[in-house]
Amino acid sequence: MHYYIVTGASRGLGEAFVEEILQKNHTVICLSRSINSSLKQVAEQRESTIRFEACDLSDTSQILSAIDRVLSTINFKAAEQITLVNNAGTINPIKKGGHANEQDIISHVNVNLLAPMLMSEALLKEAEKNSVHTIIVNITSGAANRPIPGWSFYCSTKAGLNMYTQTVGAELIETKANMITIAFSPGIMDTEMQTTIRQAEEEQFSSLEQFKDFHEKGMLRSTTFVAKTLYNLLKGPLDNGRVYDIKEFI
């Protein structure tokens, strides 16, 4: 049995990736704020198992309780492999320094950085106890590598996620554990996040027109294409701690 745990699975890249992995002998556990009925139908057609765990990843207490619920449903003795995809993310608040609401900042860090770290730590601990082959994928962004005015929180949390991935990967290499952690940057995709970006206030986000151009000129990748690329990547050998970029595969 191959278990997949996917956060932010009800829409966008998460939805597309779950649809890709819904296959016989796969159990997919989705963490999201809502249930995606169409994914349930796909699972039935393909004789796959899907479960939804309601969770608002901006709330620390909900993250911790969701982790406990998810791990309690996994039969570690029967698991051939467990793959965690920390996909959920937020771009808000799009604000220059000194203009953001404190609670919005806390929620942003919880979703983009704290939730992936807590999910990864809990799974690594259980997988080590049970000697289960485990892959952790952290969905990152090119924004981790450069400052983008208006995105100080997004750039910072994605940079932190990359460093967490690289450091844990180095630790797993040292211990020769049967576990791998990588990050994957999907580039610009046609998702609700891009819609949010295009609705930003220009005085808070100087790159607004550039992102409108991405949309108008058809430069946004489909989530289906990105999901297939990621799934194919996971089928091959992986370098522990590496930050992969979709540009390497197109």
Side-chain angles (χ1 to χ4, degrees):
M1 178 67 69
H2 189 152
Y3 288 89
Y4 285 90
I5 307 166
V6 184
T7 68
S10 63
R11 60 188 183 182
L13 177 59
E15 178 184 20
F17 183 75
V18 169
E19 186 165 354
E20 192 69 25
I21 60 177
L22 283 173
Q23 300 174 21
K24 197 170 183 179
N25 296 322
H26 285 183
T27 294
V28 183
I29 306 168
C30 303
L31 274 77
S32 59
R33 286 179 292 183
S34 58
I35 293 174
N36 186 314
S37 300
S38 64
L39 288 177
K40 282 193 163 188
Q41 291 176 352
V42 173
E44 289 176 9
Q45 292 165 2
R46 297 182 187 172
E47 299 181 43
S48 182
T49 301
I50 190 169
R51 290 198 293 272
F52 281 89
E53 287 288 345
C55 181
D56 181 352
L57 295 175
S58 68
D59 184 333
T60 309
S61 62
Q62 288 195 40
I63 298 170
L64 294 172
S65 57
I67 291 170
D68 288 342
R69 292 196 306 273
V70 167
L71 294 181
S72 68
T73 65
I74 294 176
N75 184 342
F76 282 90
K77 292 182 179 178
E80 298 171 20
Q81 182 175 313
I82 302 172
T83 301
L84 166 64
V85 181
N86 286 308
N87 162 73
T90 182
I91 190 70
N92 284 320
I94 302 175
K95 298 286 185 182
K96 291 181 178 177
H99 289 261
N101 173 280
E102 291 175 0
Q103 189 54 53
D104 289 343
I105 298 170
I106 292 168
S107 295
H108 181 105
V109 174
N110 283 352
V111 173
N112 283 11
L113 185 57
L114 185 61
M117 292 174 79
L118 290 174
M119 294 286 298
S120 300
E121 291 295 310
L123 179 57
L124 288 169
K125 188 181 296 183
E126 290 301 316
E128 184 177 14
K129 277 188 212 172
N130 293 277
S131 301
V132 179
H133 179 47
T134 300
I135 299 174
I136 294 174
V137 184
N138 294 315
I139 301 300
T140 184
S141 168
N145 305 316
R146 65 185 187 281
I148 300 174
W151 285 10
S152 58
F153 310 111
Y154 190 70
C155 293
S156 298
T157 51
K158 291 302 184 181
L161 189 61
N162 282 3
M163 184 53 69
Y164 173 76
T165 302
Q166 292 168 325
T167 305
V168 172
E171 293 166 350
L172 294 173
I173 291 171
E174 278 188 350
T175 58
K176 299 180 180 179
N178 191 25
M179 295 177 278
I180 295 171
T181 182
I182 64 166
F184 178 75
S185 178
I188 51 175
M189 297 179 289
D190 192 8
T191 61
E192 287 187 26
M193 183 179 286
Q194 285 292 321
T195 303
T196 300
I197 292 169
R198 293 193 299 273
Q199 294 171 346
E201 301 171 13
E202 192 166 9
E203 60 269 25
Q204 296 293 332
F205 183 51
S206 56
S207 299
L208 179 62
E209 290 305 316
Q210 179 186 18
F211 278 82
K212 286 183 177 180
D213 281 348
F214 290 153
H215 180 251
E216 290 169 6
K217 295 177 181 177
M219 298 172 68
L220 302 177
R221 296 184 186 94
S222 75
T223 54
T224 300
F225 172 79
V226 176
K228 288 180 182 296
T229 303
L230 175 56
Y231 188 46
N232 288 334
L233 170 64
L234 296 180
K235 292 176 183 177
L238 298 169
D239 297 331
N240 224 330
R242 181 173 167 183
V243 179
Y244 289 87
D245 193 300
I246 195 167
K247 296 186 184 73
E248 301 172 47
F249 310 101
I250 55 177

